[in-house]
Amino acid sequence: MARNRYDVDEELETPFNMANLKNVFVYVGRYKWKMIFSLLLSAVGSIVGLTGPMLVQRAMDVAIPQKNVQLLIQLSCLLAGTILINIGFNAIRTILVAQVGQNIVHDIRKDLFDHLQVLPFSYYDNRPHGKILVRVVHYVNSVSNALSNGILNFIIEIINIIFIIFFMFQVSPPLAAITVAGLPVVIVFILLIKPKQRRAWQSVNNKNSNVNAFVQESIEGARVIESFDREEENDKILDRLLDKRKKSWMGAIYVSNTVWFTTETVSQIVFSLVYIAGAYWFNPMVSFGVLLAMGTYASRFWQPIVNLANIYNDFINAVSYLERIFETMNEPAIIEDKPDAEKLPPIQGSVEFKDVSFGYEPGQMILKHVSFAAKPGESIAIVGPTGAGKTTIVNLISRFYNIENGAVCIDGHSVMDVTIHSLRSQMGIMLQDSFVFSGTIADNIRYGRLDATDEEVEQAAKMLHADEFIRNLPDGYNTIVKERGGGLSQGQKQLLAFARTLLSDPRILVLDEATSSIDTSTEQLVQQGINLLLKDRTSFIIAHRLSTIRDCSRIMYVADGQILESGTHDELMEKQGLYYHLYMSQYRREAVTKQAEV
Ligand SMILES: Nc1ncnc2c1ncn2[C@@H]1O[C@H](COP(=O)(O)OP(=O)(O)OP(=O)(O)O)[C@@H](O)[C@H]1O
């Protein structure tokens, strides 16, 4: 799949369908009792409210002509009572529906987040992260109202309409017939405009998503942007993206407003017709009270229709968000446990690649027939030119990707046949970019073993010679780290990551360029720590600085997805092959640099 960019609209793979509608009702269904109760409150409130015009009619046609003050007072009290009941019930309903809306948002967002955590790396590789973020944060929020208030109001307005039709036909069947006659016009118009309206809102989402992706990328790359003085160019890009967003938004609003405009126009025409017909039939067929009541009913009939049109607009908008939300939720996890997956027993440490061929994209093989075996406790260094496939080899041991050709076995168990949790919980992986999470220094070290005591955290840091710099921080181990470790040097971040890995006590260890950011003097200290880390565990070390891997049990030279040489440092140096030349060229370079420094 081609990678999506911030300036390219994402294609919608699965438009909103019946299965998604079912999913929506699963979320809403969890709060059905609150919804039903709210519905009852609204129904009772609105029935009570609907008696109002009848009370007015009775006052106009009976109490006032007969000068019956007592009846007039009774009718006024009843009217005040209906208004109070309506207000009270509405207040309770508003609170309940707000709760339901927030609970639905909470549930969808949690499920979406849970699913994102098991999606394969390829999902993240193929789209800007801002486009993922906007779904979890913005889209979920935006569907809350449509799924709580929207659904409820939809049912309420339908009930309202049914009751109003009933009351209207009680009061004056011919005027009632005129009032409902405009309805089919509105329905036909809505059906005709629906596809255009849906496309318009999908486009708005795409443009929103693009803006989000660009802003997110710009925040992540703020340092690079400033160092390359790219602010002006980036402003222009954002301007273009905002412009496109504005245009698509205006287009969608325009389409949506035609629904509202048509409904309003038809309602006003019908409204006028009711008065014209009422005047035409005035006395004896239509009394003054009937005309007054019918005027109120006609406006009350069309108000729910206008409301329904607005609810419909919101719903079409929400559907375009739901499409994206469910698209992510329906994205297959790919890297998941087989139905009969077993728990990987405590790892002894033998690792074997059996004729493994692998590619990220179909038809593009990165690893070609790779076979090797590591015994428990061995440290295997993987070296070779950039893009050779070194990281890909170690990615497969942790099963970050599925292996379709050949097998990777740990203690004889194929990594494809064991549960991912049992595999990864026994592995330690340290990457070049040592990610530092929000929280304190101690939280970061404790990340892989939450039950570690403060003493254990400090012990791990001491062993990796990180204790000294940590104690020099303002609050020592309790210092809150800045976003992504800002305020710490690359080397310090890596020392933290080492301590984190040591504390989690993995059975198999992967160090991918893990010492690249540590300066030479610190490196000697860290090397002792690494030796500690490697002790009694099988480890795979990818290093460009060959001085760091001389003592490894075995060194594999990888190029073009194949292992071209394998042996100890001494064996490979004696062989004077690819490794020898790589080592010598690096050695000479370092010697020249050292001389220049002297
Ligand atoms: N997620 C990915 N999707 C598609 N191709 C990828 C992906 N990751 C790596 N590749 C490609 O696979 C090849 C091997 O990459 P890999 O990261 O394994 O190389 P490497 O030997 O570790 O390189 P380096 O020393 O530069 O880190 C490269 O051509 C790279 O472009």
Side-chain angles (χ1 to χ4, degrees), residues 125 360-361 366 385-392 401 544:
D125 293 342
Y360 295 97
E361 306 287 341
I366 302 292
T386 186
K390 304 181 292 291
T391 301
T392 307
Y401 297 89
H544 278 294

Side-chain angles (χ1 to χ4, degrees), residues 340-360:
D340 54 349
E342 290 171 5
K343 234 170 117 177
L344 180 66
I347 292 179
Q348 302 301 311
S350 77
V351 175
E352 189 175 7
F353 270 57
K354 296 181 182 170
D355 194 23
V356 174
S357 295
F358 172 82
Y360 295 97

Side-chain angles (χ1 to χ4, degrees), residues 483-494:
E483 185 68 15
R484 299 202 67 166
L488 296 176
S489 73
Q490 279 300 327
Q492 288 170 337
K493 281 195 257 179
Q494 282 194 320

Side-chain angles (χ1 to χ4, degrees), residues 152-225:
L152 210 62
N153 284 340
F154 178 80
I155 301 171
I156 292 164
E157 299 301 12
I158 296 283
I159 295 173
N160 264 341
I161 290 170
I162 294 170
F163 274 107
I164 294 168
I165 291 176
F166 173 79
F167 277 92
M168 279 195 305
F169 277 94
Q170 294 293 313
V171 176
S172 168
L175 292 185
I178 292 174
T179 308
V180 295
L183 193 55
V185 180
V186 174
I187 292 174
V188 169
F189 180 80
I190 285 181
L191 290 178
L192 286 178
I193 198 112
K194 183 179 151 226
K196 197 171 174 191
Q197 200 181 0
R198 201 163 150 184
R199 275 195 305 277
W201 283 112
Q202 282 169 349
S203 165
V204 173
N205 281 350
N206 274 330
K207 306 299 178 208
N208 254 338
S209 183
N210 292 351
V211 171
N212 217 67
F214 182 71
V215 171
Q216 205 251 356
E217 190 177 282
S218 305
I219 293 171
E220 295 233 317
R223 281 165 208 268
V224 184
I225 291 169

Side-chain angles (χ1 to χ4, degrees), residues 121-122 125-126 360-361 364 366-367 384-393 395 401 432 512-513 542 544 558:
F121 289 174
S122 54
D125 293 342
N126 287 331
Y360 295 97
E361 306 287 341
Q364 286 177 20
I366 302 292
L367 298 185
T386 186
K390 304 181 292 291
T391 301
T392 307
I393 291 180
N395 275 344
Y401 297 89
Q432 183 176 12
D512 190 351
E513 291 292 341
I542 300 176
H544 278 294
V558 177

